[in-house]
Amino acid sequence: MAAAAAAPPRFSDGDIDRDPGAAAQELTTALEKNPDDAEYYCQRAYAHILLQNYADAVADAKKSLELNPKNAVALLRKGLGDYHIKNYASALESFREGQRLDNVDDTFTIWIKRCEETLNASQTEVQQPLPPKIKYDWYQTESQVIVTIMVKNAQKDDVSVHFSEKEMNASVRLPSGEDCNLKLVLLHSIVPEQSTFKVLSTKVEIKMKKPEAVRWEKLEGQGDSPKLKQFTPDSQHLYPSSSHYTRNWDKLVVEIKEEEKNEKLEGDAALNKLFQQIYSDGTDEVKRAMNKSFMESGGTVLSTNWSDVGKRKVEVNPPDDMEWKKF
């Protein structure tokens, strides 16, 4: 008699919390063997949320819901992904549907309220003039194309960058409240899942991964198929730019770092910079603790203690002078 097939492996949220990158890779391998497993898609969506790959999280959660429409956890993760890429209406719909399936979990109530507040605020805004054009430069290395958006004091939550094979879309809300958008139709293909961005006090730095080491003659190109040239580093580090002049990037990097070091911030800006520095310098456990506590508490708790928050659900804990109410 033939031996029964081994049951496919399962991953707990704790496994994913400990190493979301490794968990995402293992879940991808598992899905190659079990492409119709709704739970695997739902778990990989959670890994993508921890890795801040929100568009990928939405895609996986949708696939999970196609296979199991009554999965409240998948609806929660789809809503979280949509919220972070500013698809607030879609996020609200997912949270409300998830609450209908699971009216015990307060997490749905928290995120429904947050979406409603955001949508109400956007509906009452006065019509603004056309947004200003984003000033940017670009250069390249053997493995990456780097676009630098020249904007100061942008907050991480106010910056959204989305990558596809031949496009990059960036949206930045300025401290003045104005929204700026930059859409680039790229000359060559990039690797979206290995492309990243970083928000600094003096700029937004976007790094797009090249699939192979070739030199880009220009940043954008629509419909053309230029002859690829093997990348050869320039000894002077003077790279092509959207400007009409060449720029010494080594010198510019030194100047920007010195400016960031000497910058004096006050109030919320200083506190946000402190949190960003803690996250940037923290270990993987610190980053997981900050992500998990912020998500589960609806933004009312931010902990760096993974040994504490890693083994429990972080409850809502508003400031002493405020009261949390369900709606």
Side-chain angles (χ1 to χ4, degrees):
M1 182 175 179
R10 294 294 154 187
F11 303 82
S12 68
D13 286 353
D15 294 330
I16 299 171
D17 286 332
R18 280 189 289 275
D19 192 341
Q25 292 178 354
E26 291 182 30
L27 286 161
T28 298
T29 301
L31 281 165
E32 290 173 356
K33 299 177 181 177
N34 300 277
D36 294 327
D37 194 306
E39 184 179 352
Y40 281 158
Y41 283 108
C42 185
Q43 290 172 325
R44 193 170 67 174
Y46 181 48
H48 283 313
I49 289 172
L50 295 180
L51 294 168
Q52 299 182 24
N53 299 330
Y54 299 117
D56 292 333
V58 171
D60 274 353
K62 283 182 176 179
K63 184 63 177 178
S64 179
L65 289 165
E66 289 175 9
L67 297 166
N68 180 12
K70 301 299 184 181
N71 188 343
V73 176
L75 285 164
L76 175 63
R77 290 169 181 175
K78 178 180 178 296
L80 289 172
D82 273 328
Y83 182 88
H84 283 91
I85 58 177
K86 303 187 186 304
N87 290 337
Y88 301 118
S90 178
L92 179 58
E93 183 180 352
S94 295
F95 292 139
R96 284 175 172 170
E97 179 62 23
Q99 189 178 54
R100 281 192 285 270
L101 295 173
D102 181 2
N103 58 12
V104 176
D105 192 344
D106 289 340
T107 306
F108 287 113
T109 303
I110 295 168
W111 286 100
I112 287 172
K113 182 174 184 292
R114 181 167 292 187
C115 286
E116 289 174 340
E117 289 174 346
T118 303
L119 288 170
N120 290 337
S122 65
Q123 290 171 0
T124 56
E125 286 179 354
V126 178
Q127 183 68 31
Q128 297 292 325
L130 291 175
K133 296 184 71 173
I134 291 181
K135 295 173 62 177
Y136 69 95
D137 272 309
W138 76 282
Y139 67 99
Q140 62 183 302
T141 65
E142 183 175 2
S143 61
Q144 294 178 321
V145 174
I146 297 93
V147 173
T148 303
I149 298 177
M150 307 303 183
V151 57
K152 291 186 176 182
N153 300 323
Q155 301 301 308
K156 186 174 181 180
D157 289 343
D158 294 334
V159 179
S160 176
V161 182
H162 304 295
F163 304 98
S164 60
E165 186 178 1
K166 287 203 68 176
E167 283 191 10
M168 187 279 293
N169 290 276
S171 175
V172 181
R173 173 160 291 183
L174 304 178
S176 62
E178 294 177 295
D179 288 323
C180 294
N181 298 288
L182 175 64
K183 178 178 180 179
L184 300 176
V185 179
L186 304 171
L187 180 66
H188 298 303
S189 297
I190 61 170
V191 184
E193 59 270 20
Q194 295 182 33
S195 300
T196 61
F197 72 96
K198 188 174 184 180
V199 181
L200 303 173
S201 60
T202 56
K203 62 180 178 178
V204 176
E205 185 177 75
I206 302 167
K207 294 183 177 181
M208 296 177 285
K209 175 69 175 176
K210 294 180 179 178
E212 53 186 325
V214 296
R215 176 175 289 280
W216 291 28
E217 298 303 316
K218 56 182 180 177
L219 181 60
E220 295 184 87
Q222 297 193 24
D224 47 357
S225 299
K227 183 178 179 181
L228 301 183
K229 295 183 178 180
Q230 194 66 25
F231 186 89
T232 53
D234 189 327
S235 60
Q236 297 300 314
H237 301 285
L238 301 176
Y239 299 103
S241 164
S242 61
S243 305
H244 298 295
Y245 59 89
T246 56
R247 185 184 293 271
N248 188 319
W249 282 91
D250 284 344
K251 181 179 179 182
L252 179 62
V253 169
V254 171
E255 291 174 352
I256 289 175
K257 286 184 177 179
E258 186 64 26
E259 185 176 349
E260 290 174 350
K261 179 180 178 182
N262 296 329
E263 184 179 27
K264 302 295 184 182
L265 299 176
E266 297 180 355
D268 290 343
L271 187 59
N272 285 333
K273 184 175 182 181
L274 174 61
F275 289 152
Q276 291 170 5
Q277 189 65 41
I278 292 172
Y279 189 89
S280 176
D281 295 341
T283 63
D284 288 344
E285 286 195 352
V286 168
K287 293 177 181 178
R288 287 199 295 272
M290 294 177 75
N291 283 329
K292 185 173 186 290
S293 60
F294 185 83
M295 267 198 310
E296 292 185 350
S297 70
T300 61
V301 175
L302 189 61
S303 173
T304 60
N305 186 354
W306 178 248
S307 62
D308 174 33
V309 302
K311 57 190 177 184
R312 65 180 178 89
K313 178 180 177 181
V314 181
E315 303 296 337
V316 176
N317 185 19
D320 292 340
D321 56 347
M322 298 180 68
E323 179 182 357
W324 178 259
K325 292 184 177 180
K326 295 183 180 180
F327 289 87

